[in-house]
mmCIF file of all heavy atoms in Angstrom:
data_model
loop_
_atom_site.group_PDB
_atom_site.id
_atom_site.type_symbol
_atom_site.label_atom_id
_atom_site.label_comp_id
_atom_site.label_asym_id
_atom_site.label_seq_id
_atom_site.Cartn_x
_atom_site.Cartn_y
_atom_site.Cartn_z
ATOM 1 N N PRO A 282 31.650 -50.628 -231.249
ATOM 2 C CA PRO A 282 31.070 -50.046 -232.472
ATOM 3 C C PRO A 282 30.243 -48.801 -232.212
ATOM 4 O O PRO A 282 30.124 -47.934 -233.083
ATOM 5 C CB PRO A 282 30.205 -51.196 -233.015
ATOM 6 C CG PRO A 282 30.855 -52.437 -232.489
ATOM 7 C CD PRO A 282 31.354 -52.062 -231.121
ATOM 8 N N ALA A 283 29.690 -48.688 -230.996
ATOM 9 C CA ALA A 283 28.865 -47.515 -230.685
ATOM 10 C C ALA A 283 29.657 -46.223 -230.789
ATOM 11 O O ALA A 283 29.101 -45.166 -231.116
ATOM 12 C CB ALA A 283 28.277 -47.658 -229.277
ATOM 13 N N ALA A 284 30.968 -46.270 -230.513
ATOM 14 C CA ALA A 284 31.799 -45.069 -230.555
ATOM 15 C C ALA A 284 31.867 -44.469 -231.953
ATOM 16 O O ALA A 284 32.180 -43.281 -232.114
ATOM 17 C CB ALA A 284 33.204 -45.387 -230.051
ATOM 18 N N GLU A 285 31.590 -45.277 -232.969
ATOM 19 C CA GLU A 285 31.656 -44.797 -234.355
ATOM 20 C C GLU A 285 30.314 -44.279 -234.863
ATOM 21 O O GLU A 285 30.232 -43.799 -235.993
ATOM 22 C CB GLU A 285 32.135 -45.932 -235.266
ATOM 23 C CG GLU A 285 33.453 -46.564 -234.834
ATOM 24 C CD GLU A 285 34.572 -45.539 -234.728
ATOM 25 O OE1 GLU A 285 34.636 -44.647 -235.598
ATOM 26 O OE2 GLU A 285 35.370 -45.639 -233.777
ATOM 27 N N LEU A 286 29.279 -44.383 -234.051
ATOM 28 C CA LEU A 286 27.960 -43.930 -234.490
ATOM 29 C C LEU A 286 27.918 -42.407 -234.623
ATOM 30 O O LEU A 286 28.618 -41.693 -233.900
ATOM 31 C CB LEU A 286 26.893 -44.362 -233.484
ATOM 32 C CG LEU A 286 26.612 -45.865 -233.368
ATOM 33 C CD1 LEU A 286 25.643 -46.124 -232.217
ATOM 34 C CD2 LEU A 286 26.057 -46.423 -234.673
ATOM 35 N N PRO A 287 27.116 -41.870 -235.536
ATOM 36 C CA PRO A 287 26.904 -40.427 -235.583
ATOM 37 C C PRO A 287 26.405 -39.926 -234.231
ATOM 38 O O PRO A 287 25.787 -40.674 -233.460
ATOM 39 C CB PRO A 287 25.831 -40.250 -236.668
ATOM 40 C CG PRO A 287 25.968 -41.468 -237.524
ATOM 41 C CD PRO A 287 26.373 -42.575 -236.598
ATOM 42 N N MET A 288 26.662 -38.667 -233.947
ATOM 43 C CA MET A 288 26.388 -38.102 -232.632
ATOM 44 C C MET A 288 24.928 -38.317 -232.198
ATOM 45 O O MET A 288 24.655 -38.761 -231.072
ATOM 46 C CB MET A 288 26.732 -36.615 -232.644
ATOM 47 C CG MET A 288 26.635 -35.943 -231.286
ATOM 48 S SD MET A 288 27.100 -34.194 -231.360
ATOM 49 C CE MET A 288 28.868 -34.306 -231.651
ATOM 50 N N ARG A 289 23.999 -38.024 -233.074
ATOM 51 C CA ARG A 289 22.582 -38.132 -232.714
ATOM 52 C C ARG A 289 22.189 -39.587 -232.449
ATOM 53 O O ARG A 289 21.483 -39.889 -231.476
ATOM 54 C CB ARG A 289 21.704 -37.546 -233.821
ATOM 55 C CG ARG A 289 20.214 -37.592 -233.498
ATOM 56 C CD ARG A 289 19.404 -37.031 -234.655
ATOM 57 N NE ARG A 289 19.667 -35.620 -234.835
ATOM 58 C CZ ARG A 289 19.033 -34.655 -234.169
ATOM 59 N NH1 ARG A 289 18.115 -34.966 -233.269
ATOM 60 N NH2 ARG A 289 19.319 -33.399 -234.405
ATOM 61 N N GLU A 290 22.655 -40.505 -233.310
ATOM 62 C CA GLU A 290 22.300 -41.908 -233.144
ATOM 63 C C GLU A 290 22.902 -42.476 -231.863
ATOM 64 O O GLU A 290 22.264 -43.268 -231.157
ATOM 65 C CB GLU A 290 22.771 -42.712 -234.358
ATOM 66 C CG GLU A 290 22.291 -44.154 -234.348
ATOM 67 C CD GLU A 290 22.650 -44.905 -235.618
ATOM 68 O OE1 GLU A 290 23.123 -44.254 -236.584
ATOM 69 O OE2 GLU A 290 22.479 -46.132 -235.636
ATOM 70 N N LEU A 291 24.149 -42.083 -231.546
ATOM 71 C CA LEU A 291 24.768 -42.536 -230.304
ATOM 72 C C LEU A 291 23.936 -42.086 -229.103
ATOM 73 O O LEU A 291 23.704 -42.871 -228.165
ATOM 74 C CB LEU A 291 26.195 -41.985 -230.191
ATOM 75 C CG LEU A 291 26.922 -42.271 -228.878
ATOM 76 C CD1 LEU A 291 27.167 -43.773 -228.715
ATOM 77 C CD2 LEU A 291 28.242 -41.495 -228.815
ATOM 78 N N TYR A 292 23.489 -40.852 -229.131
ATOM 79 C CA TYR A 292 22.695 -40.335 -228.012
ATOM 80 C C TYR A 292 21.360 -41.073 -227.893
ATOM 81 O O TYR A 292 20.931 -41.431 -226.788
ATOM 82 C CB TYR A 292 22.458 -38.838 -228.190
ATOM 83 C CG TYR A 292 21.679 -38.227 -227.060
ATOM 84 C CD1 TYR A 292 22.275 -37.988 -225.823
ATOM 85 C CD2 TYR A 292 20.329 -37.912 -227.214
ATOM 86 C CE1 TYR A 292 21.550 -37.448 -224.772
ATOM 87 C CE2 TYR A 292 19.602 -37.365 -226.178
ATOM 88 C CZ TYR A 292 20.219 -37.141 -224.952
ATOM 89 O OH TYR A 292 19.492 -36.612 -223.910
ATOM 90 N N GLU A 293 20.712 -41.319 -229.032
ATOM 91 C CA GLU A 293 19.417 -41.999 -229.001
ATOM 92 C C GLU A 293 19.532 -43.424 -228.484
ATOM 93 O O GLU A 293 18.646 -43.924 -227.798
ATOM 94 C CB GLU A 293 18.793 -41.977 -230.399
ATOM 95 C CG GLU A 293 18.344 -40.588 -230.845
ATOM 96 C CD GLU A 293 17.879 -40.552 -232.289
ATOM 97 O OE1 GLU A 293 18.094 -41.567 -233.002
ATOM 98 O OE2 GLU A 293 17.313 -39.521 -232.710
ATOM 99 N N ARG A 294 20.653 -44.089 -228.798
ATOM 100 C CA ARG A 294 20.820 -45.486 -228.401
ATOM 101 C C ARG A 294 21.334 -45.641 -226.973
ATOM 102 O O ARG A 294 20.965 -46.587 -226.276
ATOM 103 C CB ARG A 294 21.803 -46.188 -229.345
ATOM 104 C CG ARG A 294 21.279 -46.454 -230.737
ATOM 105 C CD ARG A 294 22.201 -47.425 -231.452
ATOM 106 N NE ARG A 294 21.796 -47.659 -232.817
ATOM 107 C CZ ARG A 294 22.371 -48.571 -233.611
ATOM 108 N NH1 ARG A 294 23.371 -49.311 -233.144
ATOM 109 N NH2 ARG A 294 21.970 -48.732 -234.852
ATOM 110 N N THR A 295 22.198 -44.731 -226.548
ATOM 111 C CA THR A 295 22.904 -44.941 -225.273
ATOM 112 C C THR A 295 22.694 -43.835 -224.258
ATOM 113 O O THR A 295 23.052 -43.995 -223.088
ATOM 114 C CB THR A 295 24.420 -45.067 -225.525
ATOM 115 O OG1 THR A 295 24.933 -43.794 -225.958
ATOM 116 C CG2 THR A 295 24.724 -46.121 -226.580
#
Side-chain angles (χ1 to χ4, degrees):
E285 306 303 320
L286 292 174
M288 186 178 290
R289 181 182 294 274
E290 187 175 351
L291 175 65
Y292 182 75
E293 290 173 350
R294 288 193 183 187
T295 68

